[in-house]
Amino acid sequence: MTNTIFTTTTFPIVEIFESLQGEGFNTGLPCIFVRLGKCNLACPWCDTNYNEYEKWNVAKILERVKSYSAKNIIITGGEPTMYANLSVLLDVFKVEGYWLAIETNGLKAVPKQIDYIATSPKLMYQEKYLRECIPFANEVRIVMDKGDVQGFCEQIETQITAEHYYLSPCEVDGKMNLLETITQLGILNQRANKPKWQLSLQTHKLVGIE
């Protein structure tokens, strides 16, 4: 890999930090979060300022990542699959021996360097998913938004083959619709010969870590 790539290839960085994965199957895993800016969706309850970012070159990103002790990286956003040159950054991480996960809304293809895919399809954009989405993920997380959540979960079951399916409460102004979420879980899990859904909470918020 040439020095030119390290100095001239840039990405919109919202933040890079080390913490524990707070949700989904890998809850508790020590990770370095690389959060990229911009998104191809605009969910009103999103808790990320994905339009506030700085352009960092690959060298600066790698220097920050290597300052932490974890050997697991989660590429998140915003929507990281928007960037056609993302593979350049992922190749650099792979050379350094990192395990790579991605958090994506699932509308665009995931680079081959990714070891673990967590996708969160959005109910309010259901029509987009009917047209196209990724066919496989290690885990699916759907937020308990307003609307036909059961119908959307059943749609996504047929479109995205996954090892784990999760339903998460929607948080607005610090309040979670947890009762509605667990009620919906009970309905989903009474179906015969269908995937079992589990509850996923943002435990990092509950314990007060980033």
Side-chain angles (χ1 to χ4, degrees):
M1 196 159 298
T2 65
N3 289 334
T4 302
I5 288 176
F6 280 84
T7 57
T8 63
T9 305
T10 63
F11 294 89
I13 299 296
V14 175
E15 57 184 346
I16 298 176
F17 62 95
E18 185 176 32
S19 187
L20 303 177
Q21 170 61 289
E23 55 189 319
F25 182 77
N26 291 310
T27 294
L29 185 69
C31 295
I32 301 162
F33 291 80
V34 177
R35 187 180 303 281
L36 301 179
K38 299 185 180 181
C39 190
N40 54 355
L41 301 180
C43 304
W45 38 260
C46 182
D47 58 2
T48 299
N49 294 322
Y50 52 78
N51 287 322
E52 297 181 9
Y53 55 83
E54 297 178 356
K55 288 293 186 73
W56 288 23
N57 63 22
V58 171
K60 184 175 181 179
I61 294 171
L62 184 60
E63 180 182 16
R64 174 64 63 85
V65 165
K66 292 179 72 174
S67 71
Y68 300 119
S69 61
K71 295 300 290 183
N72 310 300
I73 295 176
I74 295 180
I75 310 295
T76 186
E79 179 47 52
T81 62
M82 291 174 60
Y83 301 99
N85 62 348
L86 181 60
S87 287
V88 173
L89 181 61
L90 300 180
D91 281 340
V92 170
F93 290 153
K94 276 296 182 184
V95 168
E96 296 293 333
Y98 288 98
W99 177 86
L100 301 179
I102 196 168
E103 296 183 334
T104 173
N105 58 37
L107 289 173
K108 292 181 175 292
V110 172
K112 66 182 187 313
Q113 297 91 336
I114 294 296
D115 299 300
Y116 192 92
I117 303 169
T119 184
S120 181
K122 304 302 191 291
L123 171 57
M124 65 183 301
Y125 293 99
Q126 183 171 8
E127 293 300 317
K128 289 182 179 289
Y129 291 93
L130 286 171
R131 292 193 295 270
E132 186 176 14
C133 66
I134 60 175
F136 168 81
N138 298 92
E139 67 181 70
V140 168
R141 300 185 210 138
I142 289 180
V143 173
M144 183 71 188
D145 206 349
K146 296 178 181 178
D148 182 11
V149 174
Q150 180 166 342
F152 187 54
C153 288
E154 292 176 344
Q155 171 190 323
I156 293 300
E157 287 173 347
T158 66
Q159 292 182 280
I160 304 178
T161 300
E163 298 166 0
H164 311 281
Y165 293 90
Y166 293 97
L167 195 61
S168 301
C170 184
E171 182 178 348
V172 178
D173 297 328
K175 296 181 179 179
M176 294 188 297
N177 57 351
L178 192 52
L179 177 58
E180 292 88 343
T181 304
I182 62 174
T183 300
Q184 183 62 67
L185 273 176
I187 294 171
L188 286 168
N189 288 332
Q190 289 184 74
R191 302 170 303 155
N193 303 315
K194 297 291 184 179
K196 295 299 182 183
W197 288 72
Q198 298 172 279
L199 177 67
S200 178
L201 299 175
Q202 292 184 310
T203 59
H204 52 289
K205 293 183 178 180
L206 297 178
V207 299
I209 60 175
E210 191 170 10

